[in-house]
Structure formats: structure tokens, C-alpha cells
Amino acid sequence: MRRSTLFTRAFGGAALACAAVALSLVFLRYDAPAPRWDILTALAAAAVTAGAWALACRAAPPLGPAPSAATQESSVPPLPRRLPLPARDVGRTTGAVLLLLTPLVLTRLAAGSGGVLSGVLIVLVLVVTVKTLLFARRRVSDADVRSKLRVLAEDAGRGELHGVRVRVGEPVRMRYSKRGDKPGELSVTQFHWLVLRAGGREIKFAVSPQEAGSAAVRLGGQEGWLCWPERWKLIDEELPAALVADTGEVAMGLTDPDEARPYLTGTGTGTGRPAVSDRPAQRLARAAKFSGPVHTRILGGALLAALIATPVLYVGPDRLHWALDWLLCGLAAASVVVFSLRGLAEASEALPDGVTWTVQEESDPSIA
């Protein structure tokens, strides 16, 4: 794993901005004459900055362990009063939205000055795009998790927390297999967590794979507080928790209520009401997001789509034969969809490197 730097964030943001400009120009200047040097220039800038982002991520310094904070029992640091909520992944969200909008943009490009049939196709693709965006938003929405974490942050501000001292262990991926939707198919769901050891017990601290890998690299073997909100009885299912390292770095995630209950009711070893102070705290150091198996496919599909659509942008949709015009734009849209789906498939299997993962396999008892 490599550290996120000013260069990785700057080049990544510039690539997304250039891509957004190129897509928006198709609608904002739909009647501009060919060749469309404005769009071609924006696409070229997006390709260059995306390549620079990938190189910057590969050249960034490795994400190393945080300096250990040697503490004695009598000098265990208090919890910070302000727990930082996890940062929203604006870059990933923006990239996903741009990819989902690309087929609609290519449909508008192919339509040119258009007609009734072209207008109908644009409306149909627009409806499909909106439905896809809403479906994707429901699937990846973290509103429920953030609302739980907000309760934890509010209780920390009032100094009302339950906590236990833990030692940070290894990250785990658990693959759970069950029957698929179709006969003969297998459905595999993957769960990720960081093992935290409190005395003789282990607590599963559920976070994203990226967060689990970063925490293992930065905090592996170090001690800290694992804390829960005072209002835990008012929260359904998984309970929000914060891992606060003695160095001041904070990771927030979810824990199993059954595993947390001994420490919430005062029956677990090492349980206590940790002191809360105004000492500073910061989010866990971020890692660069580039992943070769994932992003080479997504970026490759986007680059191929731009190359396929270049004749339409240079000659103009109204000067090309309508069949060739729609064929090129259709192939460009297909390349974006197919390569993005391949990248997503790789993302579901990829794990952050630079740390040793424990992989567990479990199955539904009915198929074991």
C-alpha cells in the first residue's frame, strides 16, 4: 500500500474534471460545428492526467507503520472529544457517475441535429440511466452506517463512551457461500474486518478492505481504545465503534453486538469508562487508490471509447452516414460498460497489498 499524496489527489481530481468537461460539452454545445476540438482537447487532457495519476500512485511513498506510543498503565492516553467521521470517497463516486452517464452522452452525440427517432432514443437512454443511478445509489449508500457513527461522535463530544483497551491484529476476509438465484449457481458474499484482541477475546472490527489494510499497516501490533456510544441500546443490529490508537489516529467501523455486549455491560476484562479530553485526533492515514487489476480495465475501456468516438467528433455526426455514426457511438458505449464491469469484478476480489491477509471460507449449512 502506498500513501495518498498531494500529487495523487491533484492528478486524480484533474482527470475527473477533464472527463466531466468533455461529457458536458456534448450537451452544452451540441450544435457546435465539427471538428470538436474542445471535446477532443478535454479528452486528451483527461487521458494524460489519468496516466499521471496512475504513475503518481505507483511512485508514492509506501504507507508505513505509525510511530508507536509507548504507554504505561498509569499513563494510558484519554479518548479525544472529537472523533472524525470517515471521509466520503468523492473521487470514486464522481468517477462512477461519469461512467454511468457516458452511454447517455454518446447517444446524444450520435443523434446530432437528430429527429423524432433520435429524440425517443435519448429519452429511453435517459430513463435507463436515471434508474441505474438510483439503483447504484441504493446499493452503495452508507447513510445508515454514517447515522450510527454520528451517534458515536455525538456521545464522544459529551464524554459518554464505553471502551476497552485492545491490541490491533491482522485483517481478515471471509467468503460466505450460499445458493445462487439460479439452480446450480453459487452466490459468494465477502466480509472484511480487522481483528482486535482484548485480553483473551477477539473482536471483529468491520471496515472496508482499504481501511482494514491501512489500519493493519499503520497500527498493527499497537494498542489503543475501542469505544462504543452510551446510547448503544437505541441502535439496531451492528454497533458503531471507533478504534482510537494511542498515536491519535482514528478508524471508525461496526462491531457485532454479541461481541461488544460484555464491554458495554461491564462484565468484560479491561472494560472501563475511558477519560475524554480535547487531545487532537485525525483520521487514519489514507492510501493511494490506484489498483492495477481494477483501474487498468476501467481506464482502458474509457480510452478505447474515446478513440472509437474520435471520428464522430472530428467529422461530425451530421456528415457521417447515420449507420456508421450510431455504430461507432454504440461500440464506444459498449467498451465503457464491458470494461467497467470487468473492473468491478476485479475490485470485488482485489485486496490492498503490503499486508498479510487471513482468508476464511464458510458456507451455508444447507450446502456444506
Side-chain angles (χ1 to χ4, degrees):
M1 301 184 72
R2 296 189 175 273
R3 180 185 291 272
S4 174
T5 65
L6 176 62
F7 289 108
T8 62
R9 295 190 291 272
F11 284 128
L16 292 172
C18 292
V21 168
L23 296 182
S24 62
L25 284 173
V26 174
F27 280 94
L28 296 178
R29 301 189 65 215
Y30 64 90
D31 56 349
R36 295 299 305 270
W37 294 115
D38 52 349
I39 299 178
L40 290 170
T41 301
L43 289 174
V48 171
T49 50
W53 169 70
L55 291 175
C57 289
R58 298 299 294 270
L63 186 69
S68 59
T71 59
Q72 300 177 353
E73 192 65 30
S74 59
S75 61
V76 172
L79 286 168
R81 190 174 298 277
R82 294 185 178 181
L83 295 178
L85 292 175
R88 297 183 184 274
D89 197 338
V90 178
R92 183 172 299 176
T93 302
T94 303
V97 170
L98 292 178
L99 288 172
L100 290 173
L101 289 176
T102 299
L104 173 64
V105 172
L106 288 167
T107 302
R108 181 66 190 90
L109 177 63
S113 56
V116 176
L117 181 59
S118 296
V120 171
L121 286 174
I122 292 174
V123 171
L124 289 176
V125 176
L126 175 62
V127 171
V128 173
T129 301
V130 171
K131 288 183 175 293
T132 304
L133 286 170
L134 293 176
F135 174 76
R137 183 177 182 274
R138 288 193 298 269
R139 288 293 299 271
V140 303
S141 175
D142 62 348
D144 182 60
V145 173
R146 292 190 72 87
S147 65
K148 292 182 178 182
L149 297 179
R150 198 170 290 113
V151 172
L152 175 59
E154 291 171 357
D155 283 5
R158 293 192 292 266
E160 299 173 349
L161 294 173
H162 298 273
V164 62
R165 294 290 292 172
V166 297
R167 183 175 294 275
V168 179
E170 69 279 2
V172 176
R173 161 180 280 180
M174 194 266 280
R175 294 166 51 88
Y176 185 79
S177 302
K178 61 182 180 180
R179 288 192 183 94
D181 296 331
K182 297 181 180 179
E185 285 189 351
L186 198 65
S187 175
V188 179
T189 305
Q190 302 186 104
F191 303 92
H192 303 85
W193 64 77
L194 188 69
V195 174
L196 304 178
R197 295 181 173 86
R201 298 186 180 183
E202 290 187 353
I203 303 172
K204 300 182 183 71
F205 183 62
V207 287
S208 68
Q210 194 81 11
E211 194 90 346
S214 297
V217 171
R218 294 285 295 170
L219 309 176
Q222 298 192 30
E223 292 187 350
W225 283 103
L226 180 65
C227 56
W228 295 272
E230 171 70 21
R231 292 175 286 171
W232 64 274
K233 292 183 180 179
L234 304 179
I235 299 175
D236 293 329
E237 299 178 338
E238 294 91 353
L239 296 178
L243 171 62
V244 183
D246 291 343
T247 58
E249 289 189 273
V250 179
M252 302 186 79
L254 300 174
T255 56
D256 188 319
D258 293 333
E259 294 181 349
R261 190 166 287 110
Y263 308 105
L264 297 170
T265 56
T267 60
T269 304
T271 302
R273 289 236 178 212
V276 179
S277 74
D278 291 327
R279 78 182 182 105
Q282 67 265 10
R283 296 187 183 97
L284 194 67
R286 293 194 298 177
K289 295 184 175 65
F290 178 78
S291 172
V294 178
H295 292 103
T296 52
R297 287 168 172 78
I298 296 176
L299 296 177
L303 179 60
L304 179 59
L307 293 175
I308 293 174
T310 296
V312 182
L313 294 169
Y314 185 78
V315 178
D318 295 328
R319 296 165 58 188
L320 280 177
H321 190 277
W322 67 269
L324 180 59
D325 176 25
W326 282 99
L327 175 62
L328 291 174
C329 289
L331 289 175
S335 71
V336 169
V337 173
V338 171
F339 281 86
S340 295
L341 290 176
R342 289 183 178 179
L344 290 175
E346 289 290 338
S348 66
E349 296 292 335
L351 287 172
D353 57 3
V355 62
T356 302
W357 285 78
T358 299
V359 180
Q360 301 178 0
E361 300 281 350
E362 290 190 15
S363 300
D364 188 297
S366 63
I367 63 173

